[in-house]
Amino acid sequence: MSPSVLSPTARPRGFRPSWLSPKVFRTEVLAGLVVGLALIPEAISFSVIVGVDPAIGLFTSFTMAVVISVVGGRPAMISAATGAVALVLAPLNRQHGFGYLIAAVVLGGVFQIVLGALGVAKLLRFVPRGVTVGFVNSLALLVFMAQVPELHDVPWPVYPLVAAGIALMVFFPAVTRAVPAPLVSIVVLTAVTVAAGIAVPTVGDRGDLPSALPVPGLPDVPFTTDTLTTVAPYALAMALVGLMESLMTAKLVDDITDTRSGRTRESVGQGIANIVTGFFGGMGGCAVIGQTMINVRVSGARTRLSTFLAGAFLMVLCIVFGPVVSRIPMAALVAVMVMVSVAAFDWHSVAPKTLRRMPAGETLVMVLTVVCVVVTHNLAVGVVAGTVVAMIIFARRVARLADVTAVTDPGGGLVVYSVTGELFFASANDLLIRFDYAADPDRIVIDLSAAHIWDASSVAALDTVTAKYAQRGKTVEIIGLNEPSAEIHGALSGRLTGSH
């Protein structure tokens, strides 16, 4: 068997991991370091959203990244504490306490494993392109919007520092790509602010960094039915939001790297990572788009090593180099995230030339997805709303393709109705008004050779047509059914009302 036809999980004899190559290893290590730095401020911010100590968010990002690097289905994708999961679990923590939060994370992980095993990842194929583009653009906007508070009511040196950081990331790759430009920007801006004694907000201002590794333990809750009923709704919501964000991000990485991810494995892996995270006192997480883009698109990482090292470096930076990391100016990390948002946004999708050629429905779906995500800060709301609207638009479009034409026999004793197109709930209702029940002769033939029956609504419509003619003493013959249409018509015709 040639390498090109090996399955994604197959390993040829003598297989050697790609990251053992010195060039790849250097890329993965440096990417992991940059991502580890970029995870710190966001993990602390999400801790604030949930209402827990900053160390909890940092522990979450550490365990999620390390575990998913082993059990996940999408190499180089970063999982950590995220705003989507934080927003879902914050009310539970406020109302019932931290123990219930941990229980929800563990149960949410169990739900994700079950959903993954049931093949929920396959539902991603029903997400249209307009929703995917809207998802990417809305995430880019959310990443950018998250930086705005860092630029409000701050000392004036913050602004030139951010500008300098962006300039470094734009122009430094022209000098060399051996070292990631974001890492250079962080190091240079930190050195400048420390050496010059410039007083600007730093990572240390966000909260104390942890000084030791997390310790595993069970959730501090009573193991009762009441606890389960309290926790389960939040756990299920967390599981669905986490899987949706992770699978959509995995699809984006697939497109960037021209490789396929194991979606079922990723779904189960997210569940395992959240269970481990919960037992270590973390607040749950999923794939995170900003740091994934830093890792894959900006730094060029492609293997699991970068994901593992991102989590490992995060803890090493916090525990061993905490005093140094604390002095990194937030301006440096803001500059990195601004560049990530610019790189992640699909600028082609909003170009005037593209918008003129794109069907109005596709553009509407993309805009609706973006608006819903940006307004609610909930990716699930945007994806579900966009997908539903896209399906409605598709159903209306296909329904209009169904048509009925009548040909009357010259002798006047027969009329043949030729039905073309797809017959389903959206087009079946229009079918009823296309026949002349009163004026037609005694014999009617409905030719479905160019049509296809998809559902019970279509069978019910044909039964209604037959019944209307029968009331007038006329006979109807249905011909031309293809095999699938004949099966559904034979199984349901005459059995869709209580009288049969």
Side-chain angles (χ1 to χ4, degrees):
M1 181 182 291
S2 67
S4 61
V5 296
L6 286 172
S7 70
T9 55
R11 292 290 181 263
R13 188 172 299 175
F15 171 76
R16 184 174 183 236
S18 61
W19 51 265
L20 286 179
S21 161
K23 181 179 179 181
V24 175
F25 184 80
R26 183 183 68 245
T27 299
E28 300 296 309
V29 171
L30 292 174
L33 179 58
V34 174
V35 173
L37 286 167
L39 283 171
I40 294 173
E42 288 206 352
I44 296 174
S45 298
F46 299 145
S47 300
V48 174
I49 291 174
V50 177
V52 297
D53 189 82
I56 301 299
L58 293 167
F59 288 152
T60 299
S61 294
F62 162 63
T63 54
M64 287 295 299
V66 169
V67 175
I68 205 67
S69 69
V70 178
V71 301
R74 175 62 262 176
M77 189 168 74
I78 305 297
S79 290
T82 60
V85 172
L87 289 169
V88 170
L89 296 180
L92 178 64
N93 185 58
R94 286 195 298 267
Q95 296 170 20
H96 299 281
F98 185 64
Y100 282 81
L101 169 70
I102 298 303
V105 172
V106 174
L107 183 58
V110 173
F111 282 147
Q112 287 179 327
I113 292 175
V114 172
L115 291 170
L118 292 175
V120 71
K122 296 177 182 178
L123 295 176
L124 193 64
R125 61 184 172 180
F126 295 107
V127 177
R129 180 186 177 278
V131 175
T132 303
V133 174
F135 168 83
V136 172
N137 289 347
S138 60
L139 283 175
L141 288 174
L142 287 180
V143 170
F144 181 82
M145 290 167 60
Q147 313 315 310
V148 174
E150 305 295 338
L151 301 175
H152 177 68
D153 195 22
V154 293
W156 70 265
V158 168
Y159 304 108
L161 285 172
V162 171
I166 293 173
L168 275 170
M169 284 181 282
V170 171
F171 297 109
F172 185 80
V175 178
T176 179
R177 293 184 178 271
V179 181
L183 179 59
V184 174
S185 178
I186 292 171
V187 171
V188 170
L189 294 189
T190 303
V192 169
T193 54
V194 171
I198 302 174
V200 292
T202 64
V203 170
D205 296 332
R206 289 300 187 89
D208 295 331
L209 301 181
S211 57
L213 289 172
V215 178
L218 293 175
D220 185 17
V221 295
F223 292 89
T224 62
T225 305
D226 288 341
T227 300
L228 180 62
T229 55
T230 300
V231 165
Y234 293 95
L236 182 58
M238 170 204 154
L240 293 173
V241 169
L243 284 183
M244 190 173 296
E245 184 165 354
S246 298
L247 293 174
M248 295 289 283
T249 304
K251 185 176 185 300
L252 178 61
V253 178
D254 290 352
D255 294 339
I256 294 173
T257 61
D258 291 326
T259 57
R260 291 179 58 191
S261 57
R263 293 176 181 172
T264 298
R265 178 177 173 179
E266 182 62 35
S267 302
V268 174
Q270 288 290 329
I272 296 172
N274 272 303
I275 291 174
V276 173
T277 296
F279 284 130
F280 275 90
M283 63 187 202
C286 61
V288 54
I289 183 70
Q291 281 71 17
T292 296
M293 288 299 98
I294 294 175
N295 198 46
V296 176
R297 178 168 280 173
V298 179
S299 301
R302 293 293 183 270
T303 76
R304 298 176 184 274
L305 180 63
S306 58
T307 305
F308 175 85
L309 290 178
F313 279 140
L314 171 64
M315 277 293 98
V316 171
L317 289 167
C318 292
I319 295 173
V320 181
F321 300 102
V324 176
V325 173
S326 296
R327 303 185 72 176
I328 295 175
M330 287 302 300
L333 297 174
V334 169
V336 171
M337 298 312 292
V338 167
M339 288 299 293
V340 167
S341 66
V342 171
F345 195 89
D346 187 348
W347 296 100
H348 177 72
S349 67
V350 296
K353 185 177 180 180
T354 303
L355 293 176
R356 284 196 298 268
R357 293 181 176 179
M358 191 69 64
E362 296 276 336
T363 303
L364 173 63
V365 168
M366 180 189 72
V367 173
L368 178 68
T369 303
V370 171
V371 170
C372 288
V373 172
V374 171
V375 170
T376 65
H377 284 230
N378 190 325
L379 296 168
V381 172
V383 171
V384 170
T387 302
V388 169
V389 171
M391 288 180 175
I392 292 172
I393 292 173
F394 173 76
R396 286 174 56 86
R397 189 179 300 159
V398 174
R400 286 199 292 266
L401 297 178
D403 194 21
V404 179
T405 56
V407 177
T408 304
D409 181 72
L414 171 68
V415 60
V416 178
Y417 284 95
S418 296
V419 182
T420 59
E422 309 301 319
L423 301 183
F424 63 112
F425 62 89
S427 58
N429 290 331
D430 291 338
L431 193 67
L432 299 176
I433 63 174
R434 304 299 296 272
F435 297 87
D436 192 348
Y437 303 102
D440 281 342
D442 291 339
R443 186 182 172 205
I444 297 93
V445 174
I446 301 177
D447 185 0
L448 298 176
S449 301
H452 187 98
I453 296 176
W454 287 102
D455 59 8
S457 297
S458 305
V459 177
L462 290 171
D463 282 354
T464 301
V465 171
T466 302
K468 284 180 176 291
Y469 279 115
Q471 290 172 0
R472 293 168 171 79
K474 302 176 182 181
T475 60
V476 176
E477 180 185 3
I478 298 176
I479 65 171
L481 290 169
N482 58 33
E483 185 174 346
S485 298
E487 286 182 7
I488 190 171
H489 186 267
L492 297 178
S493 181
R495 297 176 176 85
L496 295 174
T497 64
S499 59
H500 294 280

